[in-house]
Amino acid sequence: MKKISILGSTGSIGTQGLEVAAESGGAIEVVAIAGNRNVELLEQQIRKYRPKIACAADEEAAKRLATAVADTSAKIVAGKDGLIEVATVSECDMVLSAIVGFAGLEPTVAAIRAGKNIALANKETLVAAGDIVMNLARERKIDIIPVDSEHSAIFQCLNGEKSIAPQVDHNKTDDSYVNNAKNYVNSLEKILLTASGGPFFGKTRGELENVTVEQALRHPSWSMGAKITIDSATLMNKGLEVIEAAVLFGVDIDDIEVVVHRESIIHSMAQFVDGSIIAQMSRPSMKHPIQYAFTYPRREFSPMERVDFKTLKTLTFAPPDEETFRCLALAKEAGKVGGALPVVMNAANEVAVEKFLQGEIAFLRIADIIEETMNKYSNVSCNGLEDIIKLDMEVRKTTL
Ligand code: NAD
Ligand code: MG
């Protein structure tokens, strides 16, 4: 039995993680959860999953939650300290990191320091502090198993390649090849990262000038939290994922090619030096990659709908339009420059997306704001986690 803590249990990934646990026939136990201020939902989750600890976003919500579940044995905690408690609880083997944004970084780091394996949905963690997080993971000998569907796909495509890579030391158990594929799978040539293209695929800049929040939130193939849905509309999500893939698999940004694939059936591909390409496919549901992260290295039965090629018939591919969707180009640039720039880029994006969601700025301003902020902070550097946290805060305060 695997014991899981879930950071972000009330969100899109968090609730699907709980469903995967419920459908596991007792193989996956949820020992701790951390959610938002939705006390009713947290109460339901406590009654259904019986976690030992549950964290609400603030003291006020925690108080109401404690009253609501006074008849259960769940310990109720709150805020940032509560998140850390959920991330490090002694009973758990794996933490599903599914808080949205930079806020996920500190609890994820705390979980790694406590020796927990990570099922990682929170890509912003790797964008802002990739080297620190990966080095810490190696030092603590824990696995970071990607939950982002593209990265889970690549991870699955690389399975088995390890055994044929000549330089692999099979006795070396202190490092995961998955977290440094280029070193371990010398036959990997490049990563083909698929993208749905979002709700505005094919649109011109002129057509994007007056798009509404509601239109941007209408994603063609995935139902997700608001921030990542807007990121999908701007293609920033793919930009963040390029950096995430570079960090997770130890490849250069230039060895990652984004391929627009509207049907979201192929979740990404690995291309090898002999020209062979391995693709991972399934119906688009995040429960696939979540379950795989939970059960890895095993595969367990899943009742999810199968791909039916008789009705599917065609899969389409196109290059991304980086001139219209500049966020992808900006993120690639930040990833190539490295250092503090991805921290700046990520913080500026979080502020800009929030402003767009609040109706304060137009859709096309998001990329402008990110570019302006990246220019403003082009000379900053960061040394360690504290610096990154300080810089993130400063950029948020000054991004207009
Ligand atoms: P969501 O908005 O649905 O849920 C986010 C969760 O994080 C909520 O439970 C919320 O309470 C919690 N949270 C937000 N800010 C917090 C804070 N400051 N402190 C504590 N908790 C906080 O988001 P989501 O769509 O589930 O996405 C979560 C993460 O997973 C994101 O990083 C996203 O990029 C990634 N991801 C999501 C999907 C998807 O299909 N939803 C796919 C791939 C990757
Ligand atoms: Mg993804």
Side-chain angles (χ1 to χ4, degrees):
M1 185 195 285
K2 216 163 198 176
K3 298 186 174 194
I4 310 265
S5 283
I6 301 185
L7 299 169
S9 67
T10 49
S12 163
I13 292 289
T15 49
Q16 292 179 84
L18 286 168
E19 284 171 27
V20 169
E23 290 157 9
S24 73
I28 295 158
E29 188 190 346
V30 179
V31 294
I33 58 173
N36 54 13
R37 287 174 194 80
N38 187 342
V39 170
E40 226 169 84
L41 180 56
L42 278 166
E43 179 186 350
Q44 282 170 21
Q45 293 182 346
I46 291 169
R47 296 201 182 280
K48 181 159 181 194
Y49 295 94
R50 306 258 155 213
K52 293 182 174 59
I53 305 179
C55 175
D58 56 35
E59 294 289 347
E60 188 273 330
K63 230 184 219 165
R64 283 191 289 129
L65 183 60
T67 308
V69 297
D71 59 315
T72 73
S73 59
K75 178 181 173 190
I76 306 301
V77 293
K80 207 163 148 186
D81 291 346
L83 277 182
I84 304 291
E85 207 172 326
V86 166
T88 59
V89 55
S90 62
E91 287 91 343
C92 111
D93 323 303
M94 175 173 251
V95 173
L96 173 59
S97 171
I99 285 175
V100 59
F102 189 85
L105 173 61
E106 282 183 83
T108 306
V109 166
I112 298 172
R113 287 202 171 119
K116 312 298 185 192
N117 289 318
I118 308 290
L120 187 74
N122 177 265
K123 60 193 89 187
E124 295 90 346
T125 284
L126 290 187
V127 170
D131 287 349
I132 291 174
V133 169
M134 296 311 285
N135 285 335
L136 199 60
R138 279 181 208 114
E139 204 181 292
R140 303 294 302 173
K141 302 182 175 34
I142 62 101
D143 276 330
I144 295 183
I145 313 292
V147 164
D148 213 346
S149 54
E150 297 77 3
H151 306 74
S152 174
I154 298 157
F155 181 90
Q156 294 179 57
C157 293
L158 295 175
N159 256 347
E161 291 300 318
K162 177 187 180 185
S163 56
I164 57 165
Q167 87 284 25
V168 170
D169 177 354
H170 292 284
N171 297 318
K172 195 172 172 191
T173 53
D174 64 336
D175 203 346
S176 165
Y177 81 98
V178 157
N179 296 337
N180 203 342
K182 260 266 143 92
N183 287 353
Y184 282 78
V185 186
N186 69 343
S187 51
L188 179 66
E189 191 168 73
K190 72 177 184 184
I191 284 172
L192 298 160
L193 197 72
T194 52
S196 71
F200 302 141
F201 174 73
K203 294 235 181 299
T204 62
R205 284 186 71 80
E207 289 168 327
L208 290 177
E209 251 161 38
N210 295 315
V211 291
T212 63
V213 172
E214 202 203 345
Q215 287 169 320
L217 283 175
R218 223 178 285 139
H219 196 280
S221 43
W222 299 97
S223 160
M224 313 178 283
K227 193 256 176 186
I228 183 176
T229 306
I230 301 303
D231 283 348
S232 300
T234 62
L235 287 203
M236 175 52 88
N237 183 49
K238 214 43 59 180
L240 298 175
E241 289 184 356
V242 168
I243 301 177
E244 181 186 13
V247 171
L248 268 174
F249 303 108
V251 299
D252 295 335
I253 299 282
D254 283 335
D255 290 334
I256 301 167
E257 182 183 334
V258 173
V259 179
V260 176
H261 164 53
R262 298 292 284 159
E263 297 80 8
S264 300
I265 294 292
I266 295 179
H267 299 301
S268 276
M269 305 174 250
Q271 179 174 314
F272 297 93
V273 288
D274 60 355
S276 280
I277 295 172
I278 297 183
Q280 186 268 338
M281 300 185 223
S282 67
R283 303 274 324 151
S285 162
M286 288 308 294
K287 282 161 89 175
H288 282 289
I290 293 170
Q291 171 166 323
Y292 189 69
F294 284 177
T295 63
Y296 174 81
R298 295 166 62 90
R299 287 189 188 273
E300 301 289 349
F301 173 78
S302 162
M304 277 174 282
E305 194 189 340
R306 275 33 177 180
V307 174
D308 178 2
F309 288 97
K310 294 186 289 299
T311 53
L312 186 64
K313 294 210 170 76
T314 47
L315 295 176
T316 61
F317 305 95
D321 175 359
E322 294 188 32
E323 269 162 41
T324 304
F325 299 93
R326 283 165 48 231
C327 286
L328 175 56
L330 289 169
K332 279 191 194 167
E333 187 195 327
K336 270 191 214 176
V337 173
L341 205 55
V343 182
V344 172
M345 187 267 308
N346 180 66
N349 180 54
E350 287 190 28
V351 173
V353 168
E354 190 51 38
K355 280 178 189 287
F356 174 69
L357 283 169
Q358 297 302 323
E360 291 170 26
I361 59 166
F363 182 75
L364 290 175
R365 270 294 291 156
I366 296 174
D368 295 343
I369 288 176
I370 296 165
E371 188 168 26
E372 286 156 21
T373 312
M374 280 168 68
N375 289 337
K376 189 156 102 192
Y377 285 92
S378 60
N379 291 321
V380 291
S381 59
C382 269
N383 196 4
L385 198 61
E386 296 298 307
D387 265 14
I388 289 174
I389 293 165
K390 257 194 234 152
L391 177 62
D392 170 80
M393 225 160 7
E394 194 195 318
V395 174
R396 277 164 204 276
K397 276 194 211 134
T398 57
T399 300
L400 302 169

